[in-house]
Amino acid sequence: MEQTVEYAHATGLLSGIWLLVAIPLASATVLLLLGRKADKWGHWLGVAAVAATFVLGLAMFFSLAGLDAEARSAEQSLWDFIVVGELHVDFGLLFDPLSGVFVLLITGVGSLIHLYAVGYMEHDEGRRKFFAYFNLFVAAMLLLVLGNNYVMLYFGWEGVGLASYLLISFWYTRPSAATAGKKAFLMNRVGDAGLAIGIFLMFATLGTTQYDEVFNGVGALSAATILVLGILLLLGAAGKSGQFPLQAWLPDAMEGPTPVSALIHAATMVTAGVYLIARSNPIFSANTTLQTIVVSVGALTLLMGCIIGAAKDDIKRVLAWSTVSQIGYMFLGVGLGGGAYALAIIHLLAHGFFKANMFLGAGSVMHGMHDQVDIRRFGGLRKYMKWTWLTFMMGWLAIIGIPPLSGYFSKEPIIAAAFERGDWTSWLYGMAALLGAGLTAFYMTRLFVLTFHGPERYTEDNKHPHESPYIMTVPLMLLAVGSIGAGFLMASSVPDWLEPTFGAEAVEHHAVMPHWLITVLSLLVTVLGAGLAWALFRNGTAKQEQPAGVLVTAARRNLYTDAFNEAVFERPGIYLTRALVFLDNKGIDGAVNGLAAAVGGSSGRLRRLQTGFVRSYALSMLTGVVLVVGAFLAIQLGWLA
Amino acid sequence: MVGVTDFPFLSILTLFPLVGAAVVAFIPKTRGQLAKAIALGWSLAVLALSIVMWIAFEARGDRFQFRESYQWIPTWDARFTFAADGIALVMLMLIAILVPVVILASWNDIDETQRSVPVYFALLLALECTMIGVFAAADVFLFYVFFEVMLVPMYFIIGSYGGARRQYAAVKFFLYSLVGGLFMLAAVIGLWVVGGNTFDWQKLSDVSAAFDTGTARWLFLGFFIAFAVKAPFFPFHTWLPDAGVAAPAPAAALLVGVLDKVGTFGILRYCLSLFPEASRWFAPAALILGVIGIIYAALLAVGQHDLKRLVSYTSIAHFGFIGIGIFAFTTQAGTGAVLYMVNHGLATGLLFLVVGMFVARRGSALVSDFGGAGKLVPVLAGVLFFAGLASLALPGTAPFVSEFLVLIGTFTVHKVYAVIATVGIILAAAYVLWMVQRTTQGTLNPMLVAVPAMHKDISLREKVVVAPLIVLLLVLGFYPKPVTDVINPAVEATMQDVGTTDPAPTAVANGKVAP
Amino acid sequence: MTPDYYLVLAAILFTIGAAGVLVRRNAIVLFMCIELMLNAANLALVTFSRINGTLDGQIISFFVMVVAAAEVVIGLAIIMSIFRTRRSASVDDANLLKY
């Protein structure tokens, strides 16, 4: 490693990094402890806490930008968390360019979604609790991105998992919501276990978990160790980000209220996996096999997400699979390494805007349609909800990558980077990314057209859709502005800004075709996909599920991944548990009780000797005496000698 | 000069609850409220004394502090010797905190059993005396006596005040421990013979290196079986679910929270320090038992239908973690194991107490008798959820620190065991969340609505019961240093006794990186 | 005259007593048989005292007499109370203390 990672101490305004975590945490604590007393104003406290954090984060961001490029980092050790033997874990925070952009994304988009939720959750009696959990999530997510070592990251990692669980199963009286929350937590824990073992491996090989010390020590590790370490971290990342093979929980997570889906399961938490890989870039860049694995996971997941998303009829599930697929693009980016790290982060930020925009738009649609989520029962809504339609359109155009909206600036470079990998795999991953772009255009257009255009297909009790109040539409407008402009703004500035984290861009290009051709191709497939969807669904669709071919049926069944999980893990698990319960009761406890029964039984036989007749006792005494006397005599007379 | 450390803390701490037990026992049956109040006050006084002792303890000082010794049986060289190292100190503190909480938690439960209220609280105080004694003893014979006497109050608590099948559970608990104790008695006598006719721990520890290898292994086994039954480790665990179900929930909290820790504490103090070679020889077997226990008990916990039984099985899984932490022989794992003993006492204690509150309302511990209870008792359901989170070692709660330490310390020397044990944290999430889902979430069980008591959310008394445990779990989850600093020197001394050192990081050992 | 005859007599008396305890059922007779065995033992003790020329045996025999007297007092009281409750002096009827 020619480059040494070193973080400067936090000074000035930046010495208040801890406030970023503390403010939302304090707000969550107050809301939870005060209980019903805070019902009247609790939501405003929640919004204010996140908004204050955003302002503070923004100020810190600019004060960081004011420093020299080399000195752009601020590390703060709050207290010794775990100090045992050689293990020294800081409760420490790090504010550097990478965590800076995440802080802005989390608190910025977070503030808007909090504001939106004030309106969305207005009629829910648990609104105060909702905001407490929401603040808790923001605190945990900020801890995740601000930690200066892997244990802090893990701390926040599990914290967002908890918040995600609480919010998915927010309407816990619905069995499906409770089950979805549990499923999310469990699948996340599988990934978390991988991440935890990765941290153990770091300590066993390098004796530390601090970012800078780990990154500086990567050069001392063997290739095999790096590969194993990377796969473990990737497992953690896949669990949190809903990537193959741990993707199944994310669509189910849509059981939560829509603002949750927008903030946690689209804009921020699910991108934590991308953050982990981007943060650990010295580890991932050190092994090409490892990078190939990450790229493969990304490519596979992005195609899976597109295919399944195209077959779903639930507005939120389509968006959820779209999220899975878009994060696939980000994994593709971070897997490619070099300059593509920054591209993945740009896509992550842009995605944060347009996907949050569309989720909130979907929430607005549901709000106006009595919680109807089936896109087959929408249609023509543009007449009734102008703002929602307009803002959703911006999100739609952004995600399919129509220039000059943000998706074009963020996705197209990733496709191009995939083609530049340098060997035959360029074609494989490049074509996958290109195909994904076409499919994305198809399913997003299908969603958009079926919802806002075409004939009205409402159910009987649902005749009068209405637009949402301003408290919900204003955040939509702001996010739509972000969806339009963010890409262009970030495309040039972010790579420079992130240079201290990712190092200078690698100069080698092995383009298999000229860049302009890739741009043209990707625009072409996008227009093709969108046009096809428009043509197919312009006149609406059937209101019931229609029989379909093999591919569509498989897509409707999530490509049978759920069935696979159930057949391979769930059912054998249940049978194993039952068998073990039986073994424990009859086997181990049976052996113990059997021993006790044997002792009891034999003593039951023996006590029959106590007949209660004095004569038999006297006879046994006499026999004893005779035996003793006989023995004496035998010895005395020398019979035994 | 008479300093605060010369004050006979340990003997007073041991005897004081016994006096309290005598006082409470003589209160007439009709004055139950008085008995409760006196017992609570008495246990709070013990807590106050323990806090003073905690402050007086010098973390950087000698390994054993507050040593006192009085003549007892001169011909055997058995003495009333008390001394506390960091490990014993944290356990004493745990006892002092849990007993008042348990007394307060039992406040109304005992009235319904139609049995003498003062006797129950006297038994609790007597139990506190024996538990303190067993951790404070620094004489092997004295330890053995407390170890066995401890069974008596618990036997009567389970047998007289328990639920269904209490007699069966009490006898099973008693016999299991007694059989284990007999193995230990044989080993204690053997130790006296080979150790130069003394029971003094310090003297025995000084000559332990000279023990014959074969003899030491047999003696180790004698002690180990007793402690493995007590802890309990797989496969000696089947008494715990029965006892946990039958005992009144607060007593069950004390049973798994403290009483069982005597087993793991005994392994650390007696097996490891007195038989270092044998400990190293048996370590692979003990590690395997620990790993099996983690996975096996966690799977069993998933399959349980009774809340108290479920919590008992989770404890067995946690004891597996403590077991591998002890036998990994690294300072991280050892400190983690001791910290685990404390945290598990708090977390599972809380879990048992909350489950007890649910059971007291519903009149049943069957999971299927609940369902959607969060709608009726939201705060209580929240506390149950929190206790569950602590039990699955979520970061931010104290058990995370200990579990992390155990696993990371084990990983540096035994990668495979640590990885298998890590699977246990997935299963932990499964059993906790499934329990929470089946009891408090989902559609409201109509039978539950018909139970009037289920409409009463957490009362002020119950809040006072759970609050100190919740606060401690959170504080130690974020800042465990005060406890680890006390534990660490004692664990390092124990590892020195065993004769192992922490492995250096492999990359550093290869000389590729300057340490 | 050799003391052997006294010992033989003591042995015969003891055997009669022992046999009586084994074969008879009436509690009073049983009691008399026990007394017979005690007295046989006394006779043997006194004889041995004479043979050895010490007083030990005679002293022990006094103790035996005292014990026998005490035993009679308690034993007869027990027999009386059993007879009152069960209307029988047969030892076979008083067999409640069994498995």
Side-chain angles (χ1 to χ4, degrees):
Chain A
M1 284 260 89
E2 68 285 2
Q3 183 192 5
T4 318
V5 183
E6 216 178 297
Y7 299 129
H9 276 287
T11 50
L13 177 65
L14 287 170
S15 55
I17 316 171
W18 61 276
L19 280 171
L20 294 177
V21 182
I23 292 173
L25 187 63
S27 163
T29 314
V30 167
L31 290 179
L32 279 179
L33 283 186
L34 280 187
R36 301 223 165 278
K37 273 170 261 172
D39 271 355
K40 279 212 174 65
W41 44 269
H43 43 284
W44 291 116
L45 177 69
V47 175
V50 181
T53 318
F54 174 62
V55 172
L56 195 64
L58 204 61
M60 285 180 186
F61 188 81
F62 283 119
S63 98
L64 191 73
L67 299 171
D68 293 337
E70 289 76 38
R72 266 183 209 152
S73 59
E75 197 176 17
Q76 183 181 39
S77 172
L78 295 177
W79 61 77
D80 287 334
F81 183 40
I82 304 174
V83 182
V84 176
E86 291 298 306
L87 177 70
H88 189 119
V89 179
D90 238 3
F91 207 100
L93 303 175
L94 168 71
F95 194 91
D96 73 343
L98 182 60
S99 40
V101 293
F102 270 91
V103 167
L104 290 190
L105 173 73
I106 296 159
T107 54
V109 175
S111 301
L112 293 178
I113 298 176
H114 271 67
L115 196 62
Y116 174 93
V118 171
Y120 189 84
M121 300 296 287
E122 194 176 357
H123 303 297
D124 195 297
E125 57 178 33
R127 181 161 68 165
R128 170 193 54 83
K129 208 165 65 178
F130 177 84
F131 274 88
Y133 296 161
F134 232 27
N135 277 185
L136 181 69
F137 166 76
V138 172
M141 189 70 202
L142 287 172
L143 184 64
L144 192 163
V145 297
L146 283 172
N148 75 344
N149 62 61
Y150 280 96
V151 180
M152 281 300 100
L153 180 126
Y154 187 79
F155 207 113
W157 195 264
E158 293 256 293
V160 292
L162 166 68
S164 157
Y165 167 85
L166 287 170
L167 288 164
I168 294 171
S169 47
F170 184 73
W171 289 312
Y172 60 86
T173 45
R174 296 207 303 233
S176 58
T179 306
K182 187 185 66 180
K183 183 174 178 183
F185 198 99
L186 273 181
M187 293 196 90
N188 267 300
R189 267 252 154 165
V190 175
D192 295 354
L195 177 58
I197 298 171
I199 296 174
F200 303 156
L201 186 60
M202 278 173 212
F203 175 69
T205 52
L206 295 167
T208 180
T209 60
Q210 300 288 118
Y211 287 148
D212 45 359
E213 292 169 20
V214 170
F215 299 153
N216 291 332
V218 168
L221 297 177
S222 66
T225 311
I226 295 178
L227 183 62
V228 172
L229 181 58
I231 290 174
L232 289 169
L233 296 181
L234 177 64
L235 184 62
K240 197 57 85 192
S241 293
Q243 297 295 288
F244 183 81
L246 297 173
Q247 78 289 346
W249 66 270
L250 186 52
D252 285 6
M254 297 303 129
E255 289 288 343
T258 306
V260 175
S261 312
L263 180 60
I264 301 185
H265 305 117
T268 58
M269 184 190 87
V270 288
T271 58
V274 182
Y275 170 79
L276 174 64
I277 296 177
R279 174 59 79 191
S280 313
N281 65 78
I283 298 173
F284 283 87
S285 300
N287 191 311
T288 347
T289 319
L290 189 54
Q291 288 185 314
T292 309
I293 296 174
V294 180
V295 172
S296 307
V297 167
L300 184 61
T301 316
L302 86 85
L303 284 179
M304 245 178 95
C306 291
I307 293 169
I308 298 174
K312 292 285 169 181
D313 296 314
D314 176 328
I315 184 167
K316 285 180 74 181
R317 298 216 174 211
V318 175
L319 289 173
W321 282 109
S322 156
T323 306
V324 170
S325 151
Q326 294 299 310
I327 298 172
Y329 272 107
M330 298 173 209
F331 268 59
L332 188 68
V334 288
L336 291 169
Y341 280 118
L343 300 180
I345 300 298
I346 295 172
H347 192 52
L348 191 157
L349 298 172
H351 176 255
F353 280 105
F354 61 66
K355 190 51 73 59
N357 176 11
M358 283 191 286
F359 258 117
L360 295 189
S364 177
V365 168
M366 285 159 60
H367 195 75
M369 294 288 287
H370 295 277
D371 288 332
Q372 176 65 265
V373 290
D374 192 339
I375 51 175
R376 290 171 301 200
R377 310 310 301 247
F378 293 152
L381 282 175
R382 73 173 189 281
K383 281 179 295 199
Y384 302 101
M385 8 185 112
K386 281 266 181 300
W387 282 115
T388 308
W389 169 65
L390 208 61
T391 54
F392 201 99
M393 189 184 341
M394 293 305 124
W396 163 60
L397 291 174
I399 192 175
I400 66 176
I402 298 295
L405 280 82
S406 63
Y408 168 75
F409 291 101
S410 64
K411 192 164 64 179
E412 194 270 343
I414 294 183
I415 300 173
F419 273 113
E420 284 170 11
R421 207 158 180 263
D423 47 10
W424 63 272
T425 55
S426 302
W427 288 104
L428 185 65
Y429 299 124
M431 292 313 283
L434 203 56
L435 181 61
L439 287 169
T440 306
F442 175 79
Y443 72 77
M444 285 312 299
T445 310
R446 169 174 177 264
L447 178 71
F448 182 72
V449 171
L450 284 181
T451 305
F452 292 102
H453 296 267
E456 301 176 0
R457 304 178 297 278
Y458 314 143
T459 47
E460 287 307 309
D461 55 341
N462 229 345
K463 285 286 183 200
H464 304 290
H466 60 86
E467 178 64 298
S468 302
Y470 279 112
I471 197 160
M472 289 166 69
T473 48
V474 170
L476 279 177
M477 296 169 210
L478 292 172
L479 285 169
V481 171
S483 307
I484 299 167
F488 178 70
L489 282 176
M490 292 187 300
S492 55
S493 59
V494 170
D496 292 340
W497 171 253
L498 290 175
E499 209 187 293
T501 308
F502 298 131
E505 188 179 345
V507 271
E508 32 184 339
H509 283 285
H510 312 276
V512 289
M513 61 175 99
H515 198 152
W516 64 266
L517 187 57
I518 297 171
T519 311
V520 169
L521 274 178
S522 68
L523 281 176
L524 198 66
V525 293
T526 302
V527 172
L528 256 177
L532 184 64
W534 192 282
L536 274 176
F537 299 107
R538 186 166 38 109
N539 294 323
T541 183
K543 292 176 188 171
Q544 307 301 330
E545 190 168 280
Q546 302 297 315
V550 182
L551 183 65
V552 176
T553 312
R556 281 179 186 159
R557 306 273 179 282
N558 298 342
L559 297 179
Y560 302 110
T561 48
D562 286 354
F564 177 83
N565 283 344
E566 197 185 319
V568 176
F569 298 110
E570 233 170 279
R571 288 199 176 281
I574 289 171
Y575 290 135
L576 179 66
T577 305
R578 280 189 199 149
L580 283 181
V581 171
F582 184 78
L583 172 75
D584 202 55
N585 286 341
K586 303 290 171 205
I588 296 181
D589 205 28
V592 174
N593 283 343
L595 193 65
V599 171
S602 52
S603 68
R605 299 279 177 286
L606 270 177
R607 69 180 187 181
R608 294 277 158 194
L609 291 177
Q610 309 288 319
T611 54
F613 292 113
V614 176
R615 277 171 294 121
S616 57
Y617 299 158
L619 185 62
S620 50
M621 278 161 74
L622 188 72
T623 317
V625 168
V626 167
L627 281 177
V628 170
V629 169
F632 268 121
L633 278 177
I635 291 164
Q636 204 78 59
L637 299 176
W639 289 346
L640 294 178
Chain B
M1 198 185 84
V2 178
V4 67
T5 46
D6 295 324
F7 184 78
F9 276 112
L10 291 172
S11 52
I12 289 181
L13 206 57
T14 311
L15 284 179
F16 190 61
L18 193 62
V19 178
V23 170
V24 174
F26 279 109
I27 294 173
K29 213 174 163 178
T30 47
R31 308 285 303 278
Q33 292 301 324
L34 180 69
K36 292 173 191 172
I38 291 182
L40 182 62
W42 214 283
S43 62
L44 286 174
V46 174
L47 176 61
L49 191 64
S50 314
I51 292 172
V52 175
M53 189 173 77
W54 175 275
I55 296 165
F57 188 86
E58 291 161 31
R60 303 247 158 265
D62 296 338
R63 177 178 178 187
F64 287 98
Q65 297 180 22
F66 312 118
R67 188 183 170 86
E68 346 165 13
S69 194
Y70 310 102
Q71 188 169 331
W72 186 16
I73 310 173
T75 43
W76 299 348
D77 198 17
R79 299 174 63 86
F80 285 109
T81 308
F82 297 104
D85 59 359
I87 303 171
L89 184 74
V90 291
M91 293 313 296
L92 292 177
M93 207 61 216
L94 178 67
I95 296 169
I97 291 168
L98 273 184
V99 169
V101 167
V102 163
I103 287 177
L104 197 58
S106 317
W107 212 255
N108 294 336
D109 293 3
I110 300 308
D111 295 347
E112 289 155 18
T113 58
Q114 315 286 328
R115 285 174 179 270
S116 167
V117 175
V119 170
Y120 174 82
F121 289 94
L123 284 171
L124 277 184
L125 284 174
L127 186 64
E128 183 173 24
C129 157
T130 56
M131 289 189 303
I132 292 176
V134 85
F135 286 109
D139 180 285
V140 181
F141 191 73
L142 185 63
F143 172 82
Y144 174 76
V145 169
F146 276 121
F147 185 85
E148 295 287 41
V149 171
M150 197 169 59
L151 298 179
V152 177
M154 200 66 212
Y155 170 80
F156 284 111
I157 288 175
I158 298 177
S160 301
Y161 299 88
R165 297 236 299 169
R166 56 174 182 262
Q167 291 294 343
Y168 169 78
V171 169
K172 194 169 182 178
F173 159 74
F174 198 89
L175 279 185
Y176 241 117
S177 298
L178 201 69
V179 170
L182 282 179
F183 282 101
M184 184 162 120
L185 178 63
V188 165
I189 295 169
L191 185 62
W192 184 78
V193 173
V194 300
N197 299 1
T198 181
F199 282 121
D200 188 76
W201 187 89
Q202 197 61 53
K203 288 183 202 161
L204 288 168
S205 169
D206 291 342
V207 298
S208 63
F211 291 163
D212 173 62
T213 312
T215 317
R217 284 179 190 168
W218 281 109
L219 294 179
F220 172 94
L221 205 59
F223 278 98
F224 183 76
I225 290 176
F227 296 143
V229 168
K230 188 63 112 190
F233 289 153
F234 175 86
F236 305 110
H237 62 272
T238 54
W239 64 269
L240 184 64
D242 287 322
V245 169
L254 213 53
L255 176 72
V256 295
V258 181
L259 210 86
D260 292 351
K261 305 299 183 337
V262 176
T264 47
F265 170 81
I267 291 175
L268 273 168
R269 174 72 73 77
Y270 295 92
C271 288
L272 260 53
S273 287
L274 295 182
F275 314 108
E277 193 278 339
S279 303
R280 291 196 299 271
W281 196 74
F282 277 104
L287 282 168
I288 289 173
L289 283 189
V291 171
I292 293 178
I294 292 170
I295 303 296
Y296 178 81
L299 283 171
L300 279 172
V302 176
Q304 296 305 316
H305 303 292
D306 181 298
L307 280 173
K308 286 161 98 179
R309 220 176 160 78
L310 193 154
V311 179
S312 303
Y313 274 109
T314 70
S315 288
I316 298 167
H318 291 151
F319 277 107
F321 277 105
I322 301 177
I324 63 167
I326 291 174
F327 281 97
F329 301 141
T330 59
T331 42
Q332 287 89 25
T335 305
V338 178
L339 193 59
Y340 213 124
M341 284 155 64
V342 178
N343 293 339
H344 175 259
L346 298 172
T348 307
L350 178 64
L351 197 52
F352 252 123
L353 292 175
V354 184
V355 164
M357 291 169 193
F358 271 99
V359 174
R361 282 169 170 73
R362 180 66 178 90
S364 158
L366 281 183
V367 176
S368 52
D369 283 343
F370 292 91
K375 204 81 201 158
L376 296 176
V377 285
V379 180
L380 202 56
V383 178
L384 178 75
F385 182 62
F386 178 84
L389 290 181
S391 192
L392 63 78
L394 194 86
T397 61
F400 165 70
V401 180
S402 41
E403 201 162 286
F404 179 77
L405 276 172
V406 165
L407 289 173
I408 205 168
T410 309
F411 189 85
T412 54
V413 282
H414 302 289
K415 299 216 167 23
V416 176
Y417 295 144
V419 169
I420 300 174
T422 310
V423 175
I425 72 170
I426 302 170
L427 295 174
Y431 60 65
V432 166
L433 294 183
W434 207 32
M435 174 193 81
V436 168
Q437 186 188 352
R438 287 184 295 169
T439 48
T440 63
Q441 299 178 331
T443 38
L444 184 57
N445 184 344
M447 304 220 300
L448 214 53
V449 187
V451 181
M454 279 308 295
H455 293 273
K456 281 191 238 98
D457 205 350
I458 193 161
S459 69
L460 182 64
R461 175 182 63 85
E462 288 167 332
K463 275 182 190 163
V464 176
V465 167
V466 297
L469 297 180
I470 293 178
V471 169
L472 271 174
L473 281 168
L474 284 175
V475 169
L476 292 181
F478 279 89
Y479 190 54
K481 201 155 175 286
V483 181
T484 50
D485 278 356
V486 168
I487 296 170
N488 207 6
V491 170
E492 276 173 1
T494 308
M495 293 308 146
Q496 219 160 31
D497 287 342
V498 181
T500 55
T501 48
D502 292 348
T506 49
V508 178
N510 294 339
K512 286 182 180 165
V513 156
Chain C
M1 167 174 139
T2 60
D4 287 357
Y5 297 120
Y6 296 97
L7 292 180
V8 171
L9 176 62
I12 291 169
L13 284 176
F14 189 89
T15 311
I16 292 170
V21 168
L22 289 181
V23 298
R24 299 304 295 265
R25 294 181 189 182
N26 189 304
I28 305 288
V29 176
L30 229 62
F31 225 77
M32 281 156 53
C33 290
I34 291 170
E35 287 301 313
L36 204 56
M37 285 195 287
L38 285 169
N39 282 326
N42 275 348
L43 185 59
L45 283 169
V46 172
T47 312
F48 285 131
S49 166
R50 173 85 182 178
I51 294 169
N52 293 337
T54 58
L55 284 175
D56 296 3
Q58 299 192 25
I59 291 167
I60 294 175
S61 73
F62 273 113
F63 276 100
V64 173
M65 282 181 209
V66 174
V67 169
E71 183 204 321
V72 167
V73 172
I74 296 168
L76 280 178
I78 292 173
I79 291 168
M80 280 297 289
S81 64
I82 287 179
F83 185 74
R84 276 191 191 146
T85 53
R86 309 197 151 244
R87 290 280 131 204
S88 153
S90 166
V91 288
D92 284 4
D93 289 340
N95 64 350
L96 281 181
L97 271 178
K98 62 178 179 185
Y99 47 86

